[in-house]
Each structure stands twice: as C-alpha cells, then as structure tokens.
Amino acid sequence: MLRNFVLRLGIPSFNRCCCRFYKPGKGYEVNVDRLKLRTPQGQVLCLPSEPLAIAVATEWDLQKDVIRLDTMHLSALCNTVQDNPSQRKSEQVIAAALRFFETDTICFRAEEPEALVTLQKEEWDPVVHWAQQSFEMSVAITRNLSAPPVAQDTRRILSQHLASYNSWALTGLEYVTLQLKSLLLCLATLDLQISVERAIFLSRLEEEFQQIAQWGRVEAAHEVEELELRARVAAGTLLARLASESTKKQHCSSREEQLHSSPTSFAS
C-alpha cells in the first residue's frame, strides 16, 4: 500500500528501483524492488517480448530520487494495451489509423508563400515517394482544405499492412501517428527510414516556418516542447518495434526484395 501511494504521488522513493525481468510462462514480467509491476487495473504487467521487457525495466531503472509516472510513456502505453480500458479491438485501431491517413499532415500542401511551397516539396516529397514505392500504392496531395481522395486500393493495402501488427504494436503505431498527425511519417519512422527527431521536424515543418518567419525561434519554450514530443514518439516507436519479434521479422521479409532492388534513404 505504501509503495502504491508513493508511486501515485510521485514523492521521493526510499529505495532505488532495482529492475529484473523474467518469463514465468507466456510473456515477460518486470520486477521493481522485488515487486511485480502491475497495471492501473491491478493486473500483473505481462509483456509479449524480451526486448520490450528490457525497455520497460530500463525506463523504471532510470527513475532516481522521485518516481515520475508522467515521464514513463512506454510503461503507460503498455498498461493501456493490457488493461484496454476502452475495450477496443484491433480492427478499431486500424480504422482510426486509416482516418488519420485521410488528413495526413504531409498530404496537405500550402499554395503560398513560395518559400514554404518549396520547403514542403523538398522535405515531404521523399517520404511520399518512399510510401508509394514501398507499399506500391498511390498517395494523393492537396493544396486546399478539402481532404485528398484515398483510392480503394491504397486503403486496402494500408489496412492489410496494419493488420500484420499485433495489438501491442498497433497501440504504439496509433500513438506515434497521433503525435505526428501523420500515418506516413509514422510508418517511415517504424521502418527506420527516418529518425524520431527527423519525423518530429517534418511533422512541425509548416508550424516552424510560420513561427520563425513571424516571431523568430523561442529557444527555451521550443526545446521543452520538442523534448516532450520526442519522448512520446520514441516510446510509441519502441512499443511498435519491440512488441513482437515475429512481427518485426514478417515486416522485414515482406519488403526485403523491394529494399534491395531499389534502396531508398532520405534520413538526415
């Protein structure tokens, strides 16, 4: 009870977190100070892969004098998957991700000023071209407020790809998509075509252009906001990539020939 009270309030912890993980049966559990991690609903947290368990244990181990649950985005995501408080099914998560694609940030382009038009083309087009080549699908671009049409074949291809992720990975994918406001940037990040930092830069491209043009760069406030966003995107990316070894192998093998025959790289 005292331990739970300490965790909820974020007050100083008397003992440094000492994390261990082990596989008792199906899945991996994480011990913190000899106690099994539990979800908000009281379930023992049971993770689907060893790499993910190591990542969660590391996140806890990084907590020092004060246990800050609000900074532990990966653990929070894992809790959400296991408790599933909204009782969402994978089909619903996929449908939500596809709705984001209909209003994908990098598919909406400015008509002016010319500097922004050029910047969007130079920075966003490589991601669009990668998606078109990698998934063999069309991606429509618009220069007005109307959402660009999504071809049925494109919707089918994306739906099939997303269905290859397990429920843990889907939660991470949806979370990254929400943070970036772009399914295409999310997929490029998960495929290691771009870094988390690069994905965030691209997702904020127009905002950065307008802010700097009008007010200049506000370093302190900007850096705090960007670091928090980076932490959230990194957590979702880790969950999506580490949630299932079999999922990772399936994704690698499914596009191995395409990547070898026509390699694409646009990370900076």
Side-chain angles (χ1 to χ4, degrees):
M1 291 295 292
L2 176 60
R3 178 69 177 182
N4 291 336
F5 185 72
V6 169
L7 292 180
R8 285 200 303 271
L9 294 186
I11 62 178
S13 175
F14 299 105
N15 298 309
R16 181 178 179 275
C17 290
C18 182
C19 301
R20 300 289 184 270
F21 68 94
Y22 62 98
K23 186 176 183 180
K26 287 188 176 181
Y28 294 78
E29 298 174 359
V30 177
N31 281 4
V32 178
D33 291 346
R34 300 182 180 179
L35 297 176
K36 294 181 179 181
L37 280 185
R38 291 184 178 272
T39 69
Q41 292 185 6
Q43 302 183 67
V44 173
L45 184 62
C46 189
L47 302 161
S49 74
E50 181 179 344
L52 182 58
I54 293 173
V56 170
T58 300
E59 187 174 56
W60 277 87
D61 201 40
L62 289 173
Q63 300 293 312
K64 300 300 181 184
D65 297 330
V66 176
I67 296 176
R68 291 282 307 279
L69 297 181
D70 60 311
T71 66
M72 302 172 67
H73 302 295
L74 180 59
S75 296
L77 284 171
C78 291
N79 288 336
T80 298
V81 180
Q82 184 159 327
D83 281 347
N84 193 11
S86 301
Q87 297 299 303
R88 299 177 74 199
K89 298 181 180 179
S90 293
E91 293 78 8
Q92 293 173 292
V93 180
I94 292 173
L98 290 176
R99 285 194 295 272
F100 266 104
F101 178 66
E102 295 171 359
T103 57
D104 199 293
T105 293
I106 67 175
C107 293
F108 284 80
R109 305 297 176 88
E111 293 182 311
E112 57 181 18
E114 187 59 35
L116 178 57
V117 172
T118 301
L119 183 64
Q120 289 177 335
K121 180 177 179 61
E122 292 176 348
E123 300 289 357
W124 285 350
D125 276 5
V127 182
V128 173
H129 294 159
W130 165 80
Q132 290 172 325
Q133 295 173 11
S134 183
F135 296 101
E136 297 184 350
M137 66 182 188
S138 62
V139 177
I141 303 298
T142 184
R143 296 191 180 279
N144 53 55
L145 296 179
S146 301
V150 179
Q152 288 301 316
D153 280 349
T154 297
R155 192 180 298 275
R156 174 183 55 80
I157 291 169
L158 283 175
S159 181
Q160 289 178 348
H161 176 72
L162 296 179
S164 67
Y165 289 91
N166 61 31
S167 60
W168 291 78
L170 273 176
T171 297
L173 182 148
E174 182 187 30
Y175 188 71
V176 173
T177 300
L178 175 63
Q179 303 305 316
L180 299 176
K181 298 180 176 59
S182 170
L183 178 60
L184 294 182
L185 288 178
C186 171
L187 293 175
T189 305
L190 297 187
D191 203 55
L192 302 183
Q193 294 296 316
I194 55 178
S195 66
V196 167
E197 292 80 2
R198 177 71 172 163
I200 291 171
F201 167 76
L202 294 175
S203 73
R204 297 165 56 93
L205 190 66
E206 185 172 353
E207 178 184 346
E208 289 282 332
F209 178 88
Q210 294 176 345
Q211 179 176 324
I212 292 174
Q214 185 172 1
W215 305 107
R217 189 178 182 87
V218 184
E219 291 291 346
H222 180 275
E223 288 178 2
V224 171
E225 182 181 352
E226 185 170 316
L227 286 173
E228 174 60 23
L229 180 57
R230 187 185 303 177
R232 295 196 298 268
V233 173
T237 301
L238 279 173
L239 178 58
R241 286 191 57 83
L242 302 181
S244 171
E245 287 295 317
S246 59
T247 298
K248 288 165 59 181
K249 291 176 182 178
Q250 179 180 350
H251 290 167
C252 288
S253 61
S254 65
R255 295 205 300 277
E256 187 176 18
E257 293 183 1
Q258 292 179 347
L259 293 176
H260 285 172
S261 61
S262 56
T264 304
S265 178
F266 45 86
S268 63

